[in-house]
Amino acid sequence: MALGKDYAAQECSIARALEVVGERWTLLVVRDALYGVRRYNDFLVHLGIPRAVLASRLQTLVAAGVLEKRPCAQAPSRHEYVVTERGRALWPTLRALGSWGRDNFPESKPLRYFRHADCGTELGVVGDCSACGILVPVEDVEMVPGPGLDPDPADPVSRALLAPRRLLTAVEVDPV
């Protein structure tokens, strides 16, 4: 029996979600958007993703309401991709998946830490703050480089992401 190309026959909310975010690269595009990457070329250089694949994933995410395509303020003839409320709702899932990967595949040092910006406490598995007793909204999450990150990365997006920063804050890329 041939493997289907979609989950249309599945009556399951996970299957419906996978229709939007289940293809290779898609969750990494969403992750980068949450990190503040907004421009097509910045996604391209940071992810090392083929152009056609990136264009397809961005189109799918915009159509699903996860990202919004807007004219770029710096270059009005270009566009940027901004995370919507629907996209922000993916943060606890991505946080949990990242924690699972870190706990189950600990071959390297941690790449990033995520903290509650208000109190500095490292977040729990789904983005909860044990000190404040709340699920921290994505805009109140601070991303801090960990010891596993390359201190001198080749691409300008990775260099920009070396500084501690709040999620959703637009990445400002220094020209090479």
Side-chain angles (χ1 to χ4, degrees), residues 101-165:
R102 188 159 105 180
D103 292 346
N104 288 280
F105 304 98
E107 296 85 24
S108 62
K109 296 176 183 173
L111 299 176
R112 293 180 173 85
Y113 296 106
F114 297 93
R115 298 182 178 153
H116 186 190
D118 291 349
C119 72
T121 301
E122 187 169 352
L123 299 182
V125 173
V126 294
D128 54 309
C129 176
S130 60
C132 298
I134 63 168
L135 184 62
V136 178
V138 68
E139 60 273 7
D140 292 338
V141 174
E142 181 182 39
M143 180 173 66
V144 180
L149 277 181
D150 179 353
D152 188 26
D155 75 272
V157 177
S158 293
R159 284 194 300 276
L161 293 174
L162 285 175
R165 57 182 297 104

Side-chain angles (χ1 to χ4, degrees), residues 25-108:
W25 294 106
T26 302
L27 287 177
L28 296 179
V29 171
V30 174
R31 175 208 64 192
D32 274 15
L34 289 166
Y35 286 3
V37 177
R38 292 184 176 178
R39 294 181 293 206
Y40 179 89
N41 284 337
D42 291 343
F43 283 109
L44 197 65
V45 70
H46 189 241
L47 293 171
I49 184 174
R51 287 180 180 276
V53 174
L54 177 58
S56 173
R57 298 307 179 266
L58 289 169
Q59 183 178 15
T60 297
L61 291 167
V62 168
V66 174
L67 298 177
E68 180 183 341
K69 185 177 178 180
R70 297 181 183 164
C72 184
Q74 292 89 9
S77 63
R78 295 189 179 185
H79 293 89
E80 62 182 9
Y81 297 87
V82 180
V83 181
T84 64
E85 286 301 316
R86 183 175 279 180
R88 290 173 186 219
L90 282 167
W91 165 244
T93 302
L94 287 172
R95 172 68 185 141
L97 186 59
S99 294
W100 179 81
R102 188 159 105 180
D103 292 346
N104 288 280
F105 304 98
E107 296 85 24
S108 62

